[in-house]
Structures are given as structure tokens and as C-alpha cells.
Amino acid sequence: MITLPYKRSFLFIIFLTVIGTFLHFYNLNWGAPFYFHPDERNIASAVAQLSFPDQMNPNFFAYGSLPLYVIYFTGYLLQLFMQFFDKQITTYNPTFEQAVIISRFYSAMFATLLIPILYLVGKKMSSSRHSGEQGDARISNKGLFKRFWTSQNDENTGLFTAFFATMSVGFIQFAHFGTFEMWLTFFSILLFWLCLQKVTRKTVLLAGIIFGTLIAVKISSLVLIILPLLWISIGTYKKTSRVKSLLHIIKSLLLLLIIAFLVYAVSNPYIFFDTPGFLGSMRYESGVGLGTTAVFYTQAFMGTIPVLFQFISVYPFLLNPLVTILFVPVVFFFTWKTFQTKRNAHIMLLLFFIILFVSQAFLFVKWTRYMVPTLPFVYLILSIILLPWMKKLKYFVGISIIVTTILFTLSYFIVAYIQQDTRLQAQKFVEQHIPQGSHILSETYDIGILPIQYSQPLMTQYDFYELDNNSFEYTPQTLTEALELADYIVFPSHRVIQSRLSNPKVFPHGHTFYTNVLNETAGFTKIYETPCDLFCKITYLGNPIQAYEQTANVFDRPTVFIFQKSY
């Protein structure tokens, strides 16, 4: 028979999962028919050009092929099923649009499944306090620490972690993106869950499958290899039988590595059949990540400081500002306590967070998406530490966290997925206020211009990224000529604006141009700027252009500017 506390917890998790399902799946077709996210467009294009069995080379190796094939065969089976109802369907290959929706479906599904999984993981992390793990004896005579580590209910840690997962802005946003961050996040927490279990042939086999899946999704997941190896070594080694233990460790490690390699190789066959393409993509992607390959879309990271940048410009959006501020002392306190108690589960939790964080934080590029896989581990650490503090402070901290988190999450959800897309709002304004045939000057490389270009095809797209790169084609002189011909200027997002305003020494010409246009001293008057209501101000801290790393909102909620020539 289910006890009352357990029944309440079960019902609460169901409640959170239902809420999470709504937040993750609502308006999953946002941006149609333009689909503004460049990464998911690349993924959908790779899927759309597959054709079983003749053409299965994805020709796209920025990510692993496993998710591409899963998306493709999901669409293939759906088309096969739909043929029973519509005989006009002549191909089973999913279209570009179908690939986008299917990829978003998987992101939303993984984000939703994380809620009950993190409840179970959090519950286990809390119950390990009473399991007699190494380190309990070290604090048995220290009343304060003993009360700290035993004062919380096992259920509450899991429930609080599940609440964070449900209200996670990071999870909600990337549930709506057809990229693979939620795949990485989901399988990372599964790998962590296995590393909390006893080392057996079955758990090693499962760990090999999950680790192989991670590198099959993105090869950079290889950085996690040390964690299952450490888990096997610690869980198998016995001082009383060192030789036997060593042989057992080697057998288990070989099993894990062989299984992982097989999963990767079977799901990524074209790393062997198209090795030049794979290696070329790896060289390009690593060059972009390290900053050795100069590309226009990484210029915003010039002069940024690792770690500090993530805690100032990334985590305040993914977590919310209050939780980010609390996490800084919490993670230091958790680290200190972990070194004191040497509890295996907490050591593994800390290592997962550190490796996932450090492996991305010190790259030249510091996109918001790189920190998404760290979020479950952030939520677990916060829940383990904050619950005792909340009890001692009469729940003032907890109430503040809960209210702030709900307010911040709902504000983001409203501005990003309930309100009309900002580019479609701008398109409506253009149709109502700009005469057909007007000469419009805009930026290049921004998909957000598509709706406006659909309404006003007479448009010149100027490459402002090249304005400060000693280009022969894009110079202050050619810009002056373009401005003389233009009746209107449209900035379809704040992507270039943010980097130019923030780096006047690096981009002197761009900084001067954008400053003058925004200040209306370049001969143009602002007639439109994406409105920022109360929900927008809460989400973007009153500054949707400079508050966060630009990819936090440049894909799903950019600020659009329109200027008219002052005659």
C-alpha cells in the first residue's frame, strides 16, 4: 500500500511533469514557415537530403549522426503510416519542415523526461546520506555538520530538483530548438545515474551504451570518459585482492569502451566511409571553438573572460539571476563539504559538473547552449545545499527562490512563445507603414530578415561584419553610398549591434555607424523598435540587447529596429 507522503510526492511529480509537458511542447512550431534558428536549419537540411537506402551520408559532421538518423527514420515511419490515409504521398523521406518539427519533438520529450528522472536522482543523492557511505564517520561527532547532512527529507531533495527542472528557462528554450543540447543533457544525467549504481556487468554494459550514445550525439562528449572509468575503478577495487581486482577493472573498462565504440561506429558509419569530410568538419569546428578560425558569428566573444562570462551573461538567463547569485557560494560550499566527507555520490556529482563546465567555459566561443548540459547538476547541487538552509531560515530563502523562479520562467515563456514572434510583428509593421518599392538597407547572414524581405523584396543586404576587416567591397565609403540610396534601414536582430557597441576598439567603423544610427544622427529616424513590456523587462533585465550572451535571445526573441531616412 502506498504511504501518504509517498503518494503526495508521486502526485506532485505527475503535476510537475504535466506542467513541464505544456511548457516544453506548447507552440513547438514557432517561427513557421521561416524557422529562424540556423543550427536546426542545418540539422533539418541534413535530414531532408537523406534517402534510405541510397543516400545515407549526412554530409554534416558538426554533430554526430545518431540524432540525424533517429529524426530521419521517425519521419520515414510517419510518412509510411500517413500513406494509409493519403495515397498521394509518394515518398517516405521527411521534408525540411517535418525534420524541424521532429527534431523539436525529441528536444521537448527529453526535457520533459528529465523532470521525473531528476526527482529520482535527487532522492537517491539525499538518501545516500544515510547509506553508510565513506565519510559518514568523519562527521558523526560534529553536531552542526551532522544536522546539516541529515536534516532534510529524502523526498524533498528530489522534489526541489524536479521543480527546478520544470521551471528551467534553459530546458524550456532548448525544448523548442531542434538542436541536440537536450539529447546531451538527458544522456549525461543517465550516465551520472549509472555512476551512482553498483558496478556489475549489467550496469557497465548500460554505461557503455549511454556513453557511446553521448559521443554519437556529439564527439566532444569524450571529455566525460574519465567519469565512468573512475566509477568502475572505485567500485571494483578491493585491497584484499589487488590482482583479482585489477583484472576485474580491466575487463570492465574494456567492456565499456568496446560497447561505446560499437554504438558510436554503428550510428556514425560515415566517419569511415567519408573520413575526409568528417576530419574536415572536425578541423573547422575545433578551429571555431578555439578561436583559431575567424568567422563572423563568433566576433562577440572577443575580449570575454572565461567563467566570469558564463556567470554574468549565460547562467542568469538559463537559471535566472537570483538562482545564479545563490549558486556561486553554494558550489563552493558543496565543494568544501565534498572534500571533507569524501562521499562518492557527491564526488561524482561535483566531477560531472566541473568537467562539463570547464570543458566548455574556456573555449573562445561561449554560446549559451554550451552550458545547458550542466543544468541538471547545478539543480542537484542547489537542492542538496539549499534545503537545510531553507529550513533554518524559516523557508524565506525557499519562498524567494520559488516565487522568483516562477515569475522569471513565466515571463520568458510569454515573451518567447505566447506573444507573436518579434520578426513577424516587424513584418506586420512594414506592411502597414512602408510603401511597396521602397529601398531598404539591411544586414546579411540573418535569417530574421526573411519575413520582411517577403513583404519588401527591394532590399540591399550589406555585410556589416566585414566593415572593419579591411575589405575592398565593404568600407565606410561603400556604406555611405548604400545609405544615400536607402529609404529605410532594418536591423532584423541585435546580433551585430551588440558586438559593435561592446567593442569600439575592435570595430571602430561598425561602432560609429550603429551608434550614430541608434542616436538618430546618421540621417535616419527610428520609426520602430520591438516593444519591451513588463514580461520582457523581467526576462531581459530591462535590456534585451546587452543583458545576456546574444544567442540567449537572438534566435527566438530578437529586437528588431527600423529607421526611416530624414528628408
Side-chain angles (χ1 to χ4, degrees), residues 92-364:
Y92 301 142
N93 298 323
T95 64
F96 172 87
E97 292 78 8
Q98 290 170 335
V100 170
I101 298 304
I102 294 170
S103 63
R104 290 180 181 180
F105 171 84
Y106 277 107
S107 294
M109 180 185 72
F110 287 133
T112 303
L113 290 175
L114 279 167
I115 296 170
I117 289 174
L118 281 173
Y119 162 72
L120 295 174
V121 174
K123 182 180 176 183
K124 184 173 180 63
M125 292 296 296
S126 180
S127 63
S128 71
R129 303 177 189 281
H130 317 292
S131 64
E133 280 188 4
Q134 180 184 1
D136 289 340
R138 297 174 181 268
I139 61 171
S140 59
N141 296 321
K142 298 181 180 180
L144 175 63
F145 292 143
K146 181 179 180 180
R147 288 194 300 273
F148 178 85
W149 290 103
T150 60
S151 62
Q152 67 185 95
N153 181 277
D154 295 347
E155 298 284 342
N156 290 342
T157 302
L159 292 173
F160 205 46
T161 308
F163 167 77
F164 277 132
T166 304
M167 291 291 134
S168 171
V169 168
F171 288 177
I172 294 170
Q173 182 178 59
F174 282 86
H176 286 81
F177 290 168
T179 57
F180 301 151
E181 277 66 41
M182 294 316 305
W183 293 67
L184 294 171
T185 306
F186 178 79
F187 287 104
S188 293
I189 202 67
L190 286 188
L191 184 64
F192 173 69
W193 169 256
L194 277 173
C195 289
L196 300 180
Q197 312 303 317
K198 184 178 179 180
V199 178
T200 64
R201 183 180 295 271
K202 180 180 178 181
T203 55
V204 171
L205 179 64
L206 289 173
I209 294 172
I210 292 172
F211 180 65
T213 301
L214 277 166
I215 58 176
V217 173
K218 194 173 184 182
I219 198 168
S220 61
S221 298
L222 278 169
V223 296
L224 293 173
I225 183 61
I226 189 175
L227 299 170
L229 299 185
L230 182 65
W231 164 64
I232 290 173
S233 300
I234 294 175
T236 307
Y237 182 76
K238 295 180 180 178
K239 292 182 179 180
T240 56
S241 181
R242 295 183 178 180
V243 175
K244 189 175 180 180
S245 294
L246 184 59
L247 291 174
H248 193 186
I249 290 172
I250 292 173
K251 287 173 59 178
S252 297
L253 293 179
L254 286 175
L255 176 62
L256 181 139
L257 294 174
I258 290 171
I259 294 299
F261 175 77
L262 288 175
V263 171
Y264 177 72
V266 169
S267 58
N268 289 263
Y270 282 90
I271 65 169
F272 308 107
F273 301 148
D274 186 12
T275 303
F278 170 73
L279 293 178
S281 178
M282 289 299 98
R283 284 192 292 268
Y284 175 79
E285 295 296 333
S286 61
V288 170
L290 296 172
T292 57
T293 299
V295 291
F296 69 91
Y297 52 86
T298 64
Q299 293 174 352
F301 298 114
M302 292 180 177
T304 55
I305 302 174
V307 180
L308 182 63
F309 182 83
Q310 280 80 14
F311 278 92
I312 290 178
S313 300
V314 175
Y315 275 140
F317 174 75
L318 293 175
L319 299 173
N320 82 50
L322 176 61
V323 171
T324 302
I325 292 170
L326 289 172
F327 181 65
V328 175
V330 161
V331 72
F332 282 108
F333 184 75
F334 181 77
T335 303
W336 173 56
K337 287 302 303 171
T338 299
F339 276 105
Q340 275 203 334
T341 61
K342 296 181 174 59
R343 187 167 285 112
N344 290 341
H346 292 171
I347 291 172
M348 193 61 69
L349 173 58
L350 185 62
L351 287 176
F352 261 86
F353 169 73
I354 290 174
I355 290 176
L356 287 170
F357 179 83
V358 172
S359 64
Q360 304 298 325
F362 288 89
L363 295 175
F364 172 75

Side-chain angles (χ1 to χ4, degrees), residues 437-441 483 485-489 524 563-565 567:
S438 299
H439 290 266
I440 298 176
L441 177 67
L483 290 172
L485 295 174
D487 300 312
Y488 297 89
I489 299 175
F524 288 81
F563 298 84
Q564 183 178 19
K565 179 171 285 185
Y567 294 101

Side-chain angles (χ1 to χ4, degrees), residues 23-61:
L23 294 175
H24 298 150
F25 282 90
Y26 180 82
N27 197 12
L28 210 59
N29 198 32
W30 70 273
F34 302 102
Y35 302 112
F36 299 108
H37 197 300
D39 286 338
E40 69 177 6
R41 290 180 66 89
N42 291 335
I43 290 167
S45 296
V47 171
Q49 57 91 47
L50 296 175
S51 180
F52 180 78
D54 302 322
Q55 195 331 79
M56 295 305 291
N57 185 350
N59 294 303
F60 179 66
F61 299 104

Side-chain angles (χ1 to χ4, degrees), residues 387-407:
L387 279 172
W389 289 0
M390 288 162 50
K391 188 174 182 180
K392 292 176 183 179
L393 295 174
K394 297 182 179 180
Y395 299 101
F396 172 77
V397 174
I399 293 172
S400 300
I401 293 172
I402 291 170
V403 171
T404 302
T405 299
I406 292 174
L407 179 62

Side-chain angles (χ1 to χ4, degrees), residues 487-500:
D487 300 312
Y488 297 89
I489 299 175
V490 175
F491 299 144
S493 76
H494 54 272
R495 192 163 195 176
V496 190
I497 296 173
Q498 187 192 62
S499 60
R500 269 50 185 177

Side-chain angles (χ1 to χ4, degrees), residues 430-504:
V430 168
E431 291 175 345
Q432 295 176 349
H433 296 89
I434 297 181
Q436 282 289 328
S438 299
H439 290 266
I440 298 176
L441 177 67
S442 186
E443 301 163 341
T444 191
Y445 301 129
D446 198 317
I447 301 169
I449 198 61
L450 291 177
I452 297 175
Q453 193 172 26
Y454 178 80
S455 301
Q456 288 283 352
L458 190 60
M459 180 176 292
T460 300
Q461 291 181 285
Y462 191 90
D463 191 352
F464 289 96
Y465 287 107
E466 292 294 319
L467 188 58
D468 290 282
N469 289 344
N470 298 317
S471 168
F472 291 105
E473 185 176 358
Y474 300 102
T475 66
Q477 178 60 36
T478 59
L479 177 57
T480 299
E481 295 170 357
L483 290 172
E484 289 175 352
L485 295 174
D487 300 312
Y488 297 89
I489 299 175
V490 175
F491 299 144
S493 76
H494 54 272
R495 192 163 195 176
V496 190
I497 296 173
Q498 187 192 62
S499 60
R500 269 50 185 177
L501 295 182
S502 302
N503 298 282

